[in-house]
Amino acid sequence: MALESMGTIGNEMSDFDKTAMAHGYAKCHSCSNTQAIGEGRCDRCGATLHFRKDLSIQKTLAFLAAAIALYIPANVLPIMYTINLGRTSSSTIIGGVVTLFEHHSYGIAIIIFVASVFVPMAKMLILAYLCMVAKWPKLSSPNQASLLYRVTEVVGRWSMIDVFVVAVLVAMIQLGGIIAVEPGPAALSFAGVVFSTMLAAMSFDSRLIWDSTPRENEN
Amino acid sequence: MALYRDFLFDFLMSIFEESTQNTSGRESELIACHQCDLLVEVTELEEGSKAHCPRCSHQLLKKPKGGVSRPLALSIAALGLFGLSNAFPFMSFKGGAGQEQMITLCHNVMELYRHDSQLLALTVFGLVIVLPCLYLVATILILVPMAKGQRHPNFPRLAKLVFALAPWVMVDVFLLGILVSLTKISSMAKVEIGLSFISFAFFAATFSMVVSSMNKEWLWRAWERLETK
């Protein structure tokens, strides 16, 4: 039913020779049109054409540095304050997970732990690793690295969940001074972490993983 | 093993050759894989089928079932559901001392704004209210002329906007956030789910369907075809 993978151009060429770049073709970043690079403008939408994203690794590392810098206040400072009968208590992201565990809500504790602790950490480590792979291709097989990149791209936005939880709690729990919830500074810095890791993933060019492949002895 | 693989390959090729004979009028074109830059020749797809890169298995092209009318119908439905989820209280919340609190979606943002966290309010407002609205309106503006078979000059600008916005709309994440905070509160007080909450859940589901039915590669191609008509 599905007609797919119609074979590549030629059979006896090395991997790099089969790429669009080797043929002078570029894919437009804004309308996905594959075309000869010509004068550097897309025939279909007029955007500037380039073989690879400009300064991809530099930009990725810059956003990554921003994310790491924001990650520290996001974990050290409180994400929200609970005011109960005049007594204020604060909780950090990890503190919130621990409290949930103590209250035996294991399901939610796991969701929050995965979304706000595990995923951002894993994402930053993976992006740093991918930049290294682009530089030193012997570190990993391109298929593995691509899979890591795809997972990072899809999963990234779900980290926002903790910020939304704080937003909803602040709005809902305002009961005439008896109980109140106030947002803490970590909420905003955590949103910053999510944004910068998303931007880092977007500026990374996954084609760089495949570029340095004169790997004739694959399989 | 190698013999078996050759046999399998020949067998698959024979099926493929038959299908090309049946549909000899099909065009084929070159598509560069977005993920690994392999240049692949893809023949025109049937509705509802996908083409994948032979090297990295990334999706090259997907031709959705129902063409333009499916995302159009979904996005109109999503916009309606979004209006509904703003019109009624989201949920009500009863505290121990008899106070009752009812909130709507916009109320949520306003409350954050009142608590000196303007930036946070702006973030939530943007990700959950402004961007989805903008996305849906732009999508409808793109798809209505396409459904009529017209080539609209604003298509390139709007299509660029739509595909740039897609990863930043976090309606589904917000829904999960609400569910988590509901279970957190339920230990403190009684929470009742409002009509808007249900419509918001449906809105989030419909929205995800719109996003997945808008394939960039296919949509631009379809628009280009209209032009040459």
Side-chain angles (χ1 to χ4, degrees), chain A residues 92-110:
Chain A
T92 55
I93 291 177
I94 299 187
V97 175
V98 172
T99 319
L100 281 170
F101 253 109
E102 282 165 358
H103 286 94
H104 304 290
S105 358
Y106 300 113
I108 300 165
I110 289 167

mmCIF file of all heavy atoms in Angstrom, chain A residues 92-110:
data_model
loop_
_atom_site.group_PDB
_atom_site.id
_atom_site.type_symbol
_atom_site.label_atom_id
_atom_site.label_comp_id
_atom_site.label_asym_id
_atom_site.label_seq_id
_atom_site.Cartn_x
_atom_site.Cartn_y
_atom_site.Cartn_z
ATOM 1 N N THR A 92 10.509 23.494 46.892
ATOM 2 C CA THR A 92 11.256 23.467 45.636
ATOM 3 C C THR A 92 10.679 22.362 44.753
ATOM 4 O O THR A 92 9.770 21.645 45.165
ATOM 5 C CB THR A 92 12.744 23.171 45.896
ATOM 6 O OG1 THR A 92 12.822 21.952 46.630
ATOM 7 C CG2 THR A 92 13.394 24.279 46.679
ATOM 8 N N ILE A 93 11.224 22.225 43.546
ATOM 9 C CA ILE A 93 10.724 21.197 42.630
ATOM 10 C C ILE A 93 10.921 19.809 43.234
ATOM 11 O O ILE A 93 9.982 19.012 43.330
ATOM 12 C CB ILE A 93 11.445 21.285 41.265
ATOM 13 C CG1 ILE A 93 11.019 22.552 40.535
ATOM 14 C CG2 ILE A 93 11.123 20.065 40.412
ATOM 15 C CD1 ILE A 93 11.716 22.775 39.226
ATOM 16 N N ILE A 94 12.145 19.546 43.702
ATOM 17 C CA ILE A 94 12.423 18.215 44.255
ATOM 18 C C ILE A 94 11.661 18.017 45.560
ATOM 19 O O ILE A 94 11.131 16.931 45.825
ATOM 20 C CB ILE A 94 13.945 18.035 44.452
ATOM 21 C CG1 ILE A 94 14.599 18.174 43.075
ATOM 22 C CG2 ILE A 94 14.269 16.697 45.082
ATOM 23 C CD1 ILE A 94 16.037 17.868 43.012
ATOM 24 N N GLY A 95 11.552 19.111 46.357
ATOM 25 C CA GLY A 95 10.773 19.039 47.587
ATOM 26 C C GLY A 95 9.336 18.631 47.306
ATOM 27 O O GLY A 95 8.736 17.838 48.037
ATOM 28 N N GLY A 96 8.782 19.180 46.210
ATOM 29 C CA GLY A 96 7.400 18.843 45.833
ATOM 30 C C GLY A 96 7.262 17.367 45.510
ATOM 31 O O GLY A 96 6.288 16.716 45.909
ATOM 32 N N VAL A 97 8.250 16.816 44.807
ATOM 33 C CA VAL A 97 8.211 15.391 44.457
ATOM 34 C C VAL A 97 8.265 14.538 45.729
ATOM 35 O O VAL A 97 7.506 13.581 45.895
ATOM 36 C CB VAL A 97 9.380 15.024 43.509
ATOM 37 C CG1 VAL A 97 9.408 13.536 43.256
ATOM 38 C CG2 VAL A 97 9.263 15.785 42.211
ATOM 39 N N VAL A 98 9.145 14.944 46.657
ATOM 40 C CA VAL A 98 9.289 14.195 47.908
ATOM 41 C C VAL A 98 7.973 14.229 48.698
ATOM 42 O O VAL A 98 7.511 13.199 49.213
ATOM 43 C CB VAL A 98 10.461 14.766 48.739
ATOM 44 C CG1 VAL A 98 10.505 14.126 50.122
ATOM 45 C CG2 VAL A 98 11.774 14.535 48.013
ATOM 46 N N THR A 99 7.357 15.428 48.772
ATOM 47 C CA THR A 99 6.087 15.546 49.493
ATOM 48 C C THR A 99 5.032 14.640 48.893
ATOM 49 O O THR A 99 4.277 13.976 49.611
ATOM 50 C CB THR A 99 5.582 17.005 49.444
ATOM 51 O OG1 THR A 99 6.674 17.872 49.631
ATOM 52 C CG2 THR A 99 4.530 17.255 50.518
ATOM 53 N N LEU A 100 4.969 14.620 47.551
ATOM 54 C CA LEU A 100 3.983 13.760 46.887
ATOM 55 C C LEU A 100 4.222 12.296 47.236
ATOM 56 O O LEU A 100 3.279 11.538 47.472
ATOM 57 C CB LEU A 100 4.053 13.948 45.369
ATOM 58 C CG LEU A 100 3.349 15.187 44.826
ATOM 59 C CD1 LEU A 100 3.697 15.400 43.369
ATOM 60 C CD2 LEU A 100 1.835 15.044 44.976
ATOM 61 N N PHE A 101 5.492 11.907 47.302
ATOM 62 C CA PHE A 101 5.808 10.522 47.668
ATOM 63 C C PHE A 101 5.354 10.224 49.086
ATOM 64 O O PHE A 101 4.780 9.179 49.376
ATOM 65 C CB PHE A 101 7.324 10.266 47.540
ATOM 66 C CG PHE A 101 7.667 9.421 46.355
ATOM 67 C CD1 PHE A 101 8.313 9.963 45.255
ATOM 68 C CD2 PHE A 101 7.331 8.069 46.346
ATOM 69 C CE1 PHE A 101 8.610 9.175 44.155
ATOM 70 C CE2 PHE A 101 7.637 7.281 45.260
ATOM 71 C CZ PHE A 101 8.280 7.845 44.158
ATOM 72 N N GLU A 102 5.572 11.202 49.982
ATOM 73 C CA GLU A 102 5.170 11.001 51.374
ATOM 74 C C GLU A 102 3.661 10.884 51.509
ATOM 75 O O GLU A 102 3.149 10.225 52.408
ATOM 76 C CB GLU A 102 5.691 12.155 52.243
ATOM 77 C CG GLU A 102 7.170 11.995 52.572
ATOM 78 C CD GLU A 102 7.782 13.272 53.114
ATOM 79 O OE1 GLU A 102 7.074 14.295 53.207
ATOM 80 O OE2 GLU A 102 8.983 13.229 53.431
ATOM 81 N N HIS A 103 2.941 11.559 50.613
ATOM 82 C CA HIS A 103 1.477 11.470 50.642
ATOM 83 C C HIS A 103 0.956 10.289 49.830
ATOM 84 O O HIS A 103 -0.230 10.199 49.557
ATOM 85 C CB HIS A 103 0.848 12.762 50.125
ATOM 86 C CG HIS A 103 0.951 13.884 51.102
ATOM 87 N ND1 HIS A 103 1.988 14.795 51.075
ATOM 88 C CD2 HIS A 103 0.180 14.228 52.147
ATOM 89 C CE1 HIS A 103 1.831 15.659 52.063
ATOM 90 N NE2 HIS A 103 0.749 15.335 52.731
ATOM 91 N N HIS A 104 1.844 9.425 49.414
ATOM 92 C CA HIS A 104 1.501 8.201 48.685
ATOM 93 C C HIS A 104 0.830 8.442 47.343
ATOM 94 O O HIS A 104 0.146 7.565 46.844
ATOM 95 C CB HIS A 104 0.615 7.281 49.538
ATOM 96 C CG HIS A 104 1.253 6.945 50.831
ATOM 97 N ND1 HIS A 104 2.355 6.127 50.936
ATOM 98 C CD2 HIS A 104 0.962 7.348 52.095
ATOM 99 C CE1 HIS A 104 2.713 6.041 52.207
ATOM 100 N NE2 HIS A 104 1.898 6.765 52.932
ATOM 101 N N SER A 105 1.008 9.637 46.748
ATOM 102 C CA SER A 105 0.498 9.796 45.380
ATOM 103 C C SER A 105 1.657 9.487 44.436
ATOM 104 O O SER A 105 2.270 10.381 43.867
ATOM 105 C CB SER A 105 -0.038 11.200 45.124
ATOM 106 O OG SER A 105 0.031 12.000 46.249
ATOM 107 N N TYR A 106 1.935 8.208 44.298
ATOM 108 C CA TYR A 106 3.117 7.796 43.540
ATOM 109 C C TYR A 106 3.027 8.146 42.064
ATOM 110 O O TYR A 106 4.003 8.544 41.457
ATOM 111 C CB TYR A 106 3.366 6.293 43.711
ATOM 112 C CG TYR A 106 3.584 5.906 45.142
ATOM 113 C CD1 TYR A 106 2.664 5.119 45.818
ATOM 114 C CD2 TYR A 106 4.710 6.351 45.841
ATOM 115 C CE1 TYR A 106 2.854 4.774 47.146
ATOM 116 C CE2 TYR A 106 4.912 6.016 47.160
ATOM 117 C CZ TYR A 106 3.988 5.233 47.816
ATOM 118 O OH TYR A 106 4.173 4.918 49.112
ATOM 119 N N GLY A 107 1.824 7.986 41.491
ATOM 120 C CA GLY A 107 1.653 8.250 40.062
ATOM 121 C C GLY A 107 2.058 9.668 39.712
ATOM 122 O O GLY A 107 2.881 9.894 38.814
ATOM 123 N N ILE A 108 1.495 10.631 40.460
ATOM 124 C CA ILE A 108 1.795 12.035 40.163
ATOM 125 C C ILE A 108 3.242 12.352 40.482
ATOM 126 O O ILE A 108 3.901 13.096 39.758
ATOM 127 C CB ILE A 108 0.861 12.952 40.959
ATOM 128 C CG1 ILE A 108 -0.576 12.642 40.561
ATOM 129 C CG2 ILE A 108 1.150 14.403 40.681
ATOM 130 C CD1 ILE A 108 -1.563 13.210 41.496
ATOM 131 N N ALA A 109 3.748 11.770 41.576
ATOM 132 C CA ALA A 109 5.150 12.002 41.922
ATOM 133 C C ALA A 109 6.046 11.583 40.771
ATOM 134 O O ALA A 109 6.993 12.292 40.419
ATOM 135 C CB ALA A 109 5.504 11.223 43.181
ATOM 136 N N ILE A 110 5.710 10.459 40.145
ATOM 137 C CA ILE A 110 6.534 9.985 39.032
ATOM 138 C C ILE A 110 6.398 10.917 37.830
ATOM 139 O O ILE A 110 7.393 11.279 37.194
ATOM 140 C CB ILE A 110 6.175 8.524 38.671
ATOM 141 C CG1 ILE A 110 6.681 7.605 39.792
ATOM 142 C CG2 ILE A 110 6.793 8.120 37.350
ATOM 143 C CD1 ILE A 110 6.140 6.207 39.734
#
